[in-house]
Amino acid sequence: MYSKSSKGLRFLAGLLALALVLTFALPMTAFAEEAQENKILSINAHVGDYSESSKNGFGANISFATKTDGPGKLQVKKGDVVVFEESLANGNKGGDPYFDRKDHSKIAHSTNDYVYTYQFELKDLEADTLYTYTVEALGQTQKGQFKTAIGKNQAGHVRFAYLGDPQVHNSKHGEATGAIFNLISEISAKNSLDFIYIAGDHTDKGYEVQSKVDTPKDANDKKASGLPFGHEWEDFFNNKGQYPNATQKALLNHLLLSTQGNHDTTDFNGRINVPDPIYNNEKDTDFVKGVYSYVAGPMKFIILNNASYETQDLANNANFQKMMAYLKQEVKSAKEEGLWTVVGFHKPLYTGASHISDDDVAAYRKAMNKVFTDLDIDLVLNGHDHVYSRGFINAQGEKATQANTAAEGNVFYHVKNAPFHMVSEHAGGLKWYEAVDYTKDITKGDPLTPDYKFLDKNGAKEVPPSSEKKDTTVVIVDMTADRAEFTTYKLHYDQKTSKVDKEAYIYDRFTVLRRQAPQRVAGSTRLETALANAQAYQKADTVLIARSDDFADALSASVYAKLLKAPILLSKTDFLYDGIKTEIARLGAKKAILVGGDKALSMACEKELKDIKGLEVSRIDGTDRYDTSVKLAGLIAKANKTVDGVYVATGTNFADALAVSPLAAGQARPILLTRPDALPQSVKDGIKSLGVKNVTILGGKKAVSEAVAAALPGASRLEGETRYETSAMIAEKMVEAKLAYLATGEEFADALVAGPVAAEKQAPILLVQPKKLPDAVASYLKKSKIKEVIVLGGDAAVDDAVASGADNLIK
């Protein structure tokens, strides 16, 4: 026998990766209650169990509802083989209306005093497999089919339609919703969708379905229809208007994924059956059910329920905290498996219209935003606020968007610890919310910035605003392992003519990349950039200090710094830069070596260092920059016990020595400087004393002349037509490099001290133009093994477009 209970349906444990494609439409045009007595009112297939305990991790929940009780039957086939078949005779199956089968399926039959619900919940379905099914009830037979999604991390696409708030209250709302679902069917016919995601509020007063009639509360209540409350569900599934029954047709052709809205009940009044792994076996938790997740290809979609909690004390709400623990568990496993993390729930933490200042939304924002940012969730897809909005938002409630400026259109990087938040307006409620001035409403601890500045796009702030355009919306999301492409369609449904009077158009299109934007190592000055570079060292026994206004000493010192595992810091000539003392303390350094004579770094600098208690101070200097490079070569030979070669570069320009510094440091080969037209005697004597037979000249004849080359033993030359090409040729010598640094080729400051760090990471330094990626560098990146680039300096040195362009070539 069936159970008459106002609590509605029972839910299953599990998660699902499932894409449903149903092909047969349900002919249902009768809306009057008396014409529904012997009809199947609605059919839908929701995602079901997805769990590691399930044999294949896939499941489906197939549900249908009737006005009159009677036998119901479901048969499911894979090809010609029946994989599931069960009948319910007036809700009676051995006296138990809800029972488990040995093949892990579950069947239920219940009523909420308005409809009778038949639920068939299937597990252990195979991935990427077509199933057909037949529903029989009240003398009717309906057929459909669904195809499970690609398996976890299987190569390919997952495409879905994302809807906010159908919120159907009357037939006109239902007609507008039908227009959106008709559009979904048209889009899917061209490139099939795997499922439809509804972010809550399927109907307007679904929670009052027990009441018999929608009656006026007072003389001014214009919302009351005089119809049975169940009519909202009939208007939702079986709409009239230009596209009759379009919603039911679409749901017969697509898998459904739903979250509860504040206008919904957790059991959706017997119409939709969602999984419920964390509250399924507990009493008195109906108001917080419907928390589940499932996996499809490259993503895990985690559904939360924030529509029904008392928000006064969420920190001590056991059910809310249990949901957040479930979220953390699911995100952790998704990250470990390399999956996108997509979170869906009804009330948005961030939006572009009036709900932003609601007390309950503020409470959720305070309780959930830091969790979301700490977990580094990728996408957050909501409903509730009838406006279109999107943006990357950090823990402080600030905009954190990073655009890929080298790409065409709106292409954004994943921003670490700043999830992408989106609200998809609505899909039929025919009401549009407006922006408000909420500045005075921001309370202590609320991570929110004024005037919606956290958003990249806000329909309520456009001209004209969405409340004037009065369009309805659907977002199509296409996800692969490395990108999520969003295409937003809008249309206008005229309530008077019951027709779409403005054809669907693309309102917004953008892409979210899985990868982060290239990292930058930069400070406000070259001195601060050197300190930023030193952050690569957690500890260091020694620091080297060079002048900031010339390149020669620092570049010559890069190989020695690598051997000592010491950062190079920069200082003014006349006084010691204050940040150096702080950095010495952070590193716990016991030694400081000044590179260059007192004209490079004054005795005042040396004295300030000697005043630091416990710090041993020394200096490496020669009669000039060329002699200093020789002195450093001698120390390298002593520390490394041998030198099998040296690099010779001009001492009048930085580019070649800068580009070779990581390669030379990795090989422990000194960088010696020379005059372009004459080899200094100190350098000649140094090479002789080192016993070097292998000399590599960097740059062309203008940098190092043939006369100098003739004076060098066993010399070969490494040169390109430009400094950029030379840097690419040097990079090719680092054949196993997976990382590359980008630095401007017009100034030395930003990359001056990067050589030792780059050498530690076996990464070349590539020289680029501030506003252009040189062809030689681009060609190298395309054919190299480089998987990541780091930019040295700010965007004035290397423009974002250059950084993005380089990043695009290696992904």
Side-chain angles (χ1 to χ4, degrees), residues 441-604:
D441 297 324
I442 300 176
T443 58
K444 184 178 181 181
D446 189 351
L448 187 64
T449 50
D451 198 28
Y452 303 96
K453 291 180 180 179
F454 47 83
L455 293 173
D456 293 315
K457 191 172 182 65
N458 182 2
K461 300 279 282 186
E462 295 172 343
V463 180
S466 54
S467 58
E468 293 182 20
K469 288 188 286 188
K470 295 187 176 180
D471 292 339
T472 51
T473 306
V474 61
V475 183
I476 305 300
V477 187
D478 188 332
M479 299 186 69
T480 62
D482 62 353
R483 61 180 51 219
E485 297 179 352
F486 293 74
T487 305
T488 301
Y489 294 87
K490 287 197 171 192
L491 56 79
H492 185 269
Y493 191 83
D494 191 309
Q495 299 182 63
K496 294 181 180 180
T497 64
S498 294
K499 289 185 178 180
V500 173
D501 63 356
K502 182 168 62 178
E503 292 299 326
Y505 64 98
I506 294 177
Y507 166 71
D508 189 22
R509 178 176 280 164
F510 61 95
T511 299
V512 177
L513 301 176
R514 185 83 177 277
R515 66 186 188 272
Q516 296 178 36
Q519 177 186 343
R520 284 186 184 270
V521 178
S524 57
T525 66
R526 63 184 61 186
L527 301 167
E528 289 293 328
T529 296
L531 292 176
N533 179 79
Q535 297 306 301
Y537 300 83
Q538 298 300 314
K539 293 183 178 181
D541 183 67
T542 303
V543 297
L544 276 65
I545 303 170
R547 68 190 297 179
S548 63
D549 60 349
D550 205 344
F551 61 87
D553 295 335
L555 291 180
S556 296
S558 59
V559 180
Y560 189 48
K562 165 65 166 58
L563 289 173
L564 296 179
K565 298 185 182 300
I568 301 175
L569 306 177
L570 299 180
S571 178
K572 297 285 188 178
T573 295
D574 297 331
F575 59 88
L576 190 71
Y577 181 56
D578 285 341
I580 291 177
K581 294 179 182 179
T582 303
E583 189 62 14
I584 287 172
R586 183 189 73 83
L587 294 167
K590 303 301 182 185
K591 299 177 183 178
I593 301 174
L594 297 161
V595 182
D598 58 10
K599 290 183 179 180
L601 293 169
S602 69
M603 297 305 294

Side-chain angles (χ1 to χ4, degrees), residues 16-58:
L16 170 70
L18 186 56
L20 182 67
V21 182
L22 304 166
T23 59
F24 294 87
L26 176 64
M28 188 181 301
T29 58
F31 284 79
E33 187 173 5
E34 61 271 14
Q36 298 174 4
E37 292 298 331
N38 295 307
K39 297 289 185 180
I40 299 176
L41 300 178
S42 60
I43 301 176
N44 66 88
H46 196 280
V47 299
D49 180 67
Y50 176 88
S51 65
E52 298 302 330
S53 61
S54 181
K55 180 179 179 182
N56 298 300
F58 293 90

Side-chain angles (χ1 to χ4, degrees), residues 160-173:
F160 63 93
Y162 158 36
L163 305 177
D165 297 44
Q167 202 169 336
V168 174
H169 177 63
N170 54 45
S171 61
K172 291 300 180 183
H173 290 178

